[in-house]
């Protein structure tokens, strides 16, 4: 072990820091999202009192674990310049499928891989349509969304309750650390974020995702695996939708065919607020996590205010608009230089 | 030569939908030489390059690398085999770091994960091998175009490269940058890399290349040693006809009106724009062909854009026919008969997805307003007459403009502007990146327009061209006008020293 640490000593901190600065233009929107998050938390604390508490902060993660997972997958897709509108419906479908199978007695260790495979299959179909049949990602994933939503109704029109202790345990087990607590769903979501960040930053697949988003033609001429990458990002997003289906099923303790309507848009909003350019090629997964937290804080604030839930959407809409404009300005300034 | 060629193309043939693009062409390159592939547009240059670099498959024939038949089915396969290409439009990724652009796809990995430190080191080595001193961790987009090109070369040579193809590498570089590039090319040459240098600039070809292969209409004309081939002979071999065009062009078009009787068409008084142009005075006379000479960044394009309302003025004023005018957008200038043809033919000129007919009638339609469409038969008439007048080939008005050669696209662009009957036509590098034959045609066309009394501002990076066809030449340097001449009273050498600025004060 000691011999290993000697050879695997990390790079000097200076070059690390430089590497960090390399993407400083791309980091600016992420920073903006963090600033927004902090401002909202501070404002919430000032207005409501007792707002920034471990319990509420913990619940931000617990209540939005499924969204974090969806946003992680969506980040891959948007980084290539694509979009995946199917994630909400796929999440609902995998949830339905799982609830149905478990109600007929299929054990959870069989059901859970099936959910991931179902999600991957949807992603694969969309990816193949996008790349090999040159269908607009918007249209291809819209088709995927209708297909998944339709299949929900095929499985069952009614909500199906989930009683499987393993699945429910993902949400109900609370691991307390002082006033903080996490559930297995949060751990899964955060592990996924860490893993996906690693994949984007340290694998050829991840770098090719950025390359494709920067300029697909150039990436192809550089001899990168463009086709494989473009299909794979939708598969990643599909698998994430499958995982989100699992977390959401644990969260609601039921599969229901109308679950997650509009969730794909919340996901896209979180990713964009988190600083990923819709045109692709620039953004960070950690930003998407911050984007989800911003979304979560807005939702909590609206609840605290006792205002109508529609205000969540209105606030998100305004924020989204502001962020898209900010991104345009940043891109325009970068181009001018 | 006794040594075996590093690349040998034997009997290469390619057809596109019945058209023969390459017909049994033989081609060879030796290690450590700079080789130029010359020919007009449509000669088969790019087809041959694509066949060698894996972007296209041969219908017949073979490409041998060091005598062996290797897999060149994709650009990636060609790169693995040792043939790398740097394209005209630099195909790098502005959103990533220099190091990544060089190493992408072959980053050193440890346990399957990219080792960033070693990646940056390897990129740094590739850069220093070329004598380029930049930080590999910096973003690609923070570098000048010329540097980006060198980075592209660094990427190309960071593999075990045997053959490096440079497709029009100098088309957007100024002289210093070209020198830098040539220094790099010579360095690679001494390392034994075979370099295919494709360029329209004859001077550069003669400066850097050891041998020249000439293609014409998809057929091999011959392979020559540069020092044994006269320039005139080369052009003749490329054009495949007597050099009467060049002879004919040496006479300048007479101006329509005697110099003394001319009216001032446009008078710029102290016009300026931050970062682009220092306060500048300029009078443009009715019916003259005014040539603007200067290097890239001298202000030649910037001045043209100020005159035509593309960019708005920060200071000074423009008098059109004696009346002060202020333009905020090009359509206001167009209303006063001032038309601008951009140097960026592809991005700011031709609309590739529209047909030739639609491209030609576009400006006229815009002038009429979109609610009064030009009747189809009128459109046909218009486009047919312009296609004939400018000899646009192929003479098919329904062909997509993007499929035409550069020279013909430029003619379509000219036709579009001429269709609105402008009184002042500003042409920014209309002959850039087109073959010699088309160049001569465009020059003649511009001269003829001047004979007909149109006022023309002609911008070109090629001093010889400016000098030959202009009535008056203005030289820009460092964002201001530094001199003006009667082209009869100055030699190209003198003009060159003024344009390039003698640092020693001469």
């Amino acid at each position: 072990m000691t011999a290993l640490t000697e050879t695997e000593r990390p790079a000097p901190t200076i070059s690390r820091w430089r590497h960090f600065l390399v993407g400083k233009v791309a980091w600016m929107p992420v920073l903006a999202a963090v600033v927004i998050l902090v401002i909202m938390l501070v404002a919430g604390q000032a207005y409501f009192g007792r707002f920034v508490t471990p319990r509420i902060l913990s619940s931000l993660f617990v209540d939005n674990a499924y969204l974090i997972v969806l946003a992680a997958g969506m980040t891959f897709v948007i980084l290539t310049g694509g979009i995946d509108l199917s994630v909400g419906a796929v999440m609902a479908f995998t949830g339905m499928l799982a609830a149905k199978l478990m109600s007929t007695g299929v054990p959870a260790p069989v059901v859970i891989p099936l959910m991931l495979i179902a999600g991957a299959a949807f992603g694969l179909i969309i990816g193949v349509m996008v790349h090999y049949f040159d269908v607009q990602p918007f249209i291809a994933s819209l088709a995927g969304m209708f297909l998944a939503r339709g299949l929900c109704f095929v499985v069952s029109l009614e909500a199906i309750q989930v009683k499987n202790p393993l699945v429910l345990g993902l949400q109900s087990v609370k691991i307390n650390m002082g006033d903080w607590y996490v559930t297995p769903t949060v751990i899964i979501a955060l592990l996924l974020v860490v893993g996906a960040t690693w994949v984007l930053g340290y694998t050829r697949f991840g770098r090719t995702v950025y390359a494709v988003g920067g300029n697909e033609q150039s990436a192809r001429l550089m001899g990168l695996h463009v086709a494989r990458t473009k299909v794979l990002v939708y598969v990643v997003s599909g698998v994430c939708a499958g995982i989100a289906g699992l977390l959401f099923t644990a969260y609601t303790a039921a599969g229901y065919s109308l679950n997650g309507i509009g969730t794909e848009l919340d996901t896209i909003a979180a990713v964009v607020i988190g600083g990923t350019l819709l045109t692709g090629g620039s953004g960070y997964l950690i930003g998407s996590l911050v984007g989800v937290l911003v979304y979560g804080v807005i939702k909590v604030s609206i609840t605290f205010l006792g205002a109508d839930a529609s205000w969540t959407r209105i606030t998100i809409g305004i924020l989204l608009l502001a962020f898209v404009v900010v991104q345009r300005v940043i891109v325009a300034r970068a181009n001018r230089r | 030569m006794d040594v075996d060629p590093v690349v040998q193309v034997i009997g290469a043939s390619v057809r596109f939908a019945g058209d023969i693009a390459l017909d049994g062409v033989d081609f060879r390159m030796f290690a450590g030489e700079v080789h130029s592939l010359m020919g007009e547009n449509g000669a088969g240059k790019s087809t041959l390059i694509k066949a060698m670099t894996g972007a296209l498959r041969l219908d017949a024939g073979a490409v041998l690398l060091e005598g062996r038949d290797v897999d060149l089915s994709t650009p990636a396969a060609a790169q693995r085999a040792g043939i790398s290409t740097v394209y005209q439009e630099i195909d790098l990724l502005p959103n990533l770091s220099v190091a990544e652009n060089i190493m992408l796809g072959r980053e050193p990995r440890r346990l399957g994960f990219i080792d960033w430190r070693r990646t940056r080191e390897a990129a740094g080595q590739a850069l220093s091998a070329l004598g380029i001193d930049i930080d590999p961790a910096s973003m690609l987009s923070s570098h000048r175009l010329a540097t980006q090109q060198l980075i592209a070369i660094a990427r190309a040579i960071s593999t075990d490269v045997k053959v490096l193809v440079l497709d029009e590498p100098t088309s957007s570089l100024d002289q210093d940058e070209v020198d830098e590039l040539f220094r790099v090319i010579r360095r690679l040459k001494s390392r034994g890399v075979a370099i295919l240098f494709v360029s329209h600039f004859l001077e550069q070809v003669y400066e850097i290349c050891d041998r020249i292969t000439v293609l014409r209409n998809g057929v091999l004309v011959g392979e020559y040693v540069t020092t044994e081939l006269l320039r005139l002979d080369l052009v003749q071999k490329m054009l495949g006809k007597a050099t009467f065009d060049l002879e004919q062009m040496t006479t300048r078009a007479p101006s329509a009106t005697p110099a003394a009787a001319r009216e001032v068409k446009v008078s710029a008084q102290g016009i300026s724009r931050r970062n682009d142009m220092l306060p500048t005075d300029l009078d443009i006379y009715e019916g003259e062909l005014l040539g603007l000479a200067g290097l890239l960044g001298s202000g030649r394009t910037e001045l043209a854009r100020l005159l035509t309302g593309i960019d708005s003025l920060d200071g000074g004023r423009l008098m059109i026919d004696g009346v002060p005018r202020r333009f905020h957008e090009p359509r206001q200038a167009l209303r006063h008969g001032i038309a601008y043809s951009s140097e960026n033919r592809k991005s700011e000129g031709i609309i590739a997805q529209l047909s030739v007919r639609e491209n030609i009638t576009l400006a006229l339609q815009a002038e009429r307003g979109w609610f009064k469409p030009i009747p189809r038969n009128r459109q046909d008439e218009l486009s047919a007459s312009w296609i004939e007048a400018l000899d646009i080939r192929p003479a098919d008005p329904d062909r997509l403009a993007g499929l035409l050669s550069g020279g013909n696209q430029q003619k379509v662009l000219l036709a579009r502007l001429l269709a609105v009957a402008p009184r002042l036509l500003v042409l920014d590098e209309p002959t850039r990146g087109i073959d010699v034959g088309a160049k001569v045609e465009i020059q003649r066309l511009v001269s003829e327009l001047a004979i007909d009394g149109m006022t023309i501002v002609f911008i070109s990076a090629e001093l010889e061209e400016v000098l030959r066809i202009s009535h008056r030449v203005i030289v820009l340097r460092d964002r201001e006008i530094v001199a003006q001449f009667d082209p009869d009273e100055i030699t190209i050498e003198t003009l060159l020293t003024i344009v390039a600025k003698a640092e020693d004060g001469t």
Side-chain angles (χ1 to χ4, degrees), chain B residues 410-428:
Chain B
Q410 190 63 50
K411 288 185 195 169
V412 170
L413 206 52
L414 264 176
R416 178 200 296 170
L417 295 174
L418 293 174
V420 298
R423 287 182 295 154
L424 171 63
L425 185 58
V426 179
L427 301 172
D428 195 353

Side-chain angles (χ1 to χ4, degrees), chain B residues 34-39 45-46 49 165-171 195-201 204-205 209:
Chain B
V34 182
H35 197 114
S36 178
L37 195 55
M38 301 291 291
K45 280 179 301 181
S46 49
I49 293 172
V165 179
L166 301 174
D167 189 6
E168 289 285 344
T170 55
S171 58
I195 295 156
L196 184 58
F197 180 84
V198 182
S199 173
H200 288 295
F201 296 106
Q204 295 176 359
V205 168
C209 294

